[in-house]
Amino acid sequence: MQYEKKTIGVLTSGGDAPGMNAAVRAVVRAGNVKGHRVVGIRRGYQGLINGDIEEMNLRSVCDIIQRGGTVLYTARCPEFVKEEGQIKGVEMCHKMGIDGLVVIGGDGSYRGARALSNRGIPCIGIPGTIDNDIASTEYTIGFDTAVNTVVESVDRLRDTSQSHDRCSVVEVMGRRAGHIALHAGIACGAIAVLIPEREFNVDVDVIDRMKETLKTGKHHFIVIVAEGVGDSKRICEYIEEKTGIESRLTVLGHVQRGGTPTAKERVYASVMGYRAVELLEQGKGNRVVGVQNNRVVDFDINDALEMTKDIDQYLYKVAYEISI
Ligand code: ADP
Ligand code: F6P
C-alpha cells in the first residue's frame, strides 16, 4: 500500500542508552526507504523547542549502529513538562512541517510524547533507558548492554576480592528499579542482591548468609545494591563491622550508560524503529512500541503509562537460593 509522503521527526530524550543510535538509524532508513522525509531533533524536547533540527538521510546514519550514546544528543527539559513548552514544541513541528514524531526515551519522555499527541502531533514512543523500568515492555534499549557492563566490572572486582578475602559491595544504577541489580546479581553470583522492590534486612539477608557461607569455606563475597535502595556506603561499613571481613564499596556510576551496544540491543532497536515508522505512515499516533514474549508489539500511550511492572519473582527467588 502506498502512503502519502510525510515528514517524520526523531529525537532521543532522558538518559542516553546504548542502542539508541541503532533505533535512530532504523527510523531514518525506514522513513527514507518508504519515501518519507526524516529530520533529527537534537537534545530531546529542548531541541524541539529551540528548533535544533537537522535533515537526515540514508548516509547520515552510516557507521552508528555500533556506537553507544546518541548522535542526536539528549537532554532533560523541565520547560517541556509545562504547557508553554509543549505549545512551543507544537509550533516548531508546524514550522518545520513535521507530521509525526518518534521519541526514544523512558516513561518521562513518553509523557512528553503523549502531551504532543494530545495537541495534534502524532507521536510514537520507543523504550530507551538502561533501567528497564517501562511497564509496557519486557525490555528497554540499553538494559542488556548495561547489565553486561556491570557483569564485566564485577568479574574484575571478584578477582581482587578473592585475592584479599574481601567483600565487594557494588552499587549499580536503575533509578527506582532493581532490574539491573537483579540480572547482574545472578550473572555475577552475588551472595546478596538488595533492590528497592523487596524489603530486606541486612542482618538476615546479608550478614547471616555471609556467616553461614564462611563456614562452608567461602572467603570472598559480592553484594549488589541497587542505587534505589540508598546508602550503599553505610551498608558496606555495616557488613565490615558485623562480619569482620574487610569490605570495599564500588559505585559503578555512568560507566553503565556507555559502550558498544550488544547484538540484542541492535536487533530490537532496529525492529522497534522500523515499527514506529510503519505506525506513523499508517496515520497512527499516541502509541508506544515494546517487546512482549520476544515479539515487537505496540500499545496506546495512555494504556502503557497505566501499566505497572514488578521485578521477576522467580529470578529473585533463584538469586536468593543459589548464591550461597
Ligand atoms: P526518561 O524519559 O528517561 O524517563 P525523564 O523522566 O528525565 O527521563 O524525562 C525526559 C524528559 O521528558 C523530561 O526532561 C521532560 O522534558 C519530558 N517529560 C517528563 N515528564 C513529562 C510530563 N509529565 N509531561 C511532559 N513532558 C515530560
Ligand atoms: O535513567 C537512567 C539513569 O542512568 C538512572 O539509572 C540513573 O539514576 C540516572 O539516569 C542518572 O541520571 P544523570 O545522568 O542525570 O546523573
Side-chain angles (χ1 to χ4, degrees):
M1 180 163 177
Q2 196 59 39
Y3 292 100
E4 140 198 0
K5 179 175 173 170
K6 290 183 190 289
T7 295
I8 295 172
V10 56
L11 61 83
T12 50
S13 167
D16 66 317
M20 279 182 163
N21 282 329
V24 170
R25 172 181 176 272
V27 171
V28 174
R29 292 266 168 95
N32 279 178
V33 163
K34 290 169 180 293
H36 306 290
R37 178 182 168 233
V38 183
V39 296
I41 298 154
R42 296 192 203 94
R43 299 183 176 83
Y45 294 119
Q46 193 61 59
L48 183 64
I49 289 175
N50 297 346
D52 190 1
I53 296 171
E54 62 181 314
E55 196 77 31
M56 299 192 84
N57 60 43
L58 295 178
R59 298 284 71 82
S60 52
V61 289
C62 279
D63 203 26
I64 66 167
I65 195 166
Q66 79 288 6
R67 284 168 59 187
T70 160
V71 294
L72 287 179
Y73 302 86
T74 185
R76 298 204 167 92
C77 173
E79 193 182 350
F80 201 75
V81 179
K82 301 193 204 107
E83 226 176 280
E84 304 90 86
Q86 294 162 14
I87 291 167
K88 285 185 195 166
V90 171
E91 284 170 355
M92 188 55 71
C93 286
H94 291 149
K95 185 173 165 197
M96 303 300 293
I98 295 172
D99 304 302
L101 204 60
V102 179
V103 172
I104 305 165
D107 54 6
S109 304
Y110 282 8
R111 287 177 211 284
R114 175 169 66 181
L116 281 175
S117 293
N118 288 342
R119 293 176 185 280
I121 308 294
C123 290
I124 307 293
I126 294 182
T129 163
I130 63 165
D131 303 333
N132 203 24
D133 60 350
I134 300 182
S136 53
T137 184
E138 287 165 0
Y139 152 86
T140 59
I141 295 170
F143 175 65
D144 192 52
T145 307
V147 170
N148 278 289
T149 302
V150 174
V151 171
E152 195 190 315
S153 308
V154 175
D155 285 350
R156 289 166 194 257
L157 290 170
R158 177 186 278 274
D159 290 344
T160 166
S161 299
Q162 179 268 317
S163 307
H164 285 265
D165 292 322
R166 279 177 175 164
C167 173
S168 218
V169 177
V170 187
E171 182 189 297
V172 302
M173 278 187 168
R175 206 176 286 204
R176 285 176 294 277
H179 303 287
I180 295 178
L182 182 55
H183 282 252
I186 292 183
C188 297
I191 184 107
V193 180
L194 306 181
I195 55 175
E197 294 91 339
R198 289 291 173 275
E199 269 191 33
F200 59 83
N201 176 326
V202 177
D203 287 300
V204 177
D205 298 312
V206 185
I207 311 291
D208 289 354
R209 284 163 68 78
M210 284 174 67
K211 285 184 177 163
E212 273 307 300
T213 312
L214 272 170
K215 288 187 208 150
T216 66
K218 188 173 166 73
H219 301 287
H220 64 278
F221 302 91
I222 306 286
V223 174
I224 305 274
V225 183
E227 65 172 336
V229 161
D231 226 1
S232 51
K233 184 166 181 282
R234 181 69 202 117
I235 291 171
C236 183
E237 288 164 357
Y238 190 70
I239 290 172
E240 182 164 308
E241 233 169 83
K242 289 286 175 177
T243 61
I245 295 172
E246 254 192 319
S247 302
R248 293 285 187 273
L249 172 67
T250 304
V251 179
L252 285 181
H254 287 82
V255 71
Q256 295 161 92
R257 285 245 291 267
T260 302
T262 62
K264 176 175 172 168
E265 313 279 22
R266 303 182 200 191
V267 173
Y268 278 125
S270 299
V271 179
M272 289 196 283
Y274 186 90
R275 174 69 67 87
V277 171
E278 281 186 327
L279 291 168
L280 282 178
E281 75 169 351
Q282 289 162 11
K284 295 179 186 162
N286 205 37
R287 296 194 75 76
V288 295
V289 296
V291 177
Q292 297 287 359
N293 299 318
N294 299 321
R295 311 282 310 166
V296 170
V297 293
D298 56 275
F299 297 102
D300 181 88
I301 292 190
N302 296 308
D303 295 340
L305 287 170
E306 286 291 304
M307 295 176 191
T308 54
K309 184 176 194 173
D310 195 7
I311 54 131
D312 186 326
Q313 301 271 14
Y314 195 66
L315 273 192
Y316 189 71
K317 178 178 153 74
V318 170
Y320 198 86
E321 290 191 15
I322 68 171
S323 297
I324 193 81

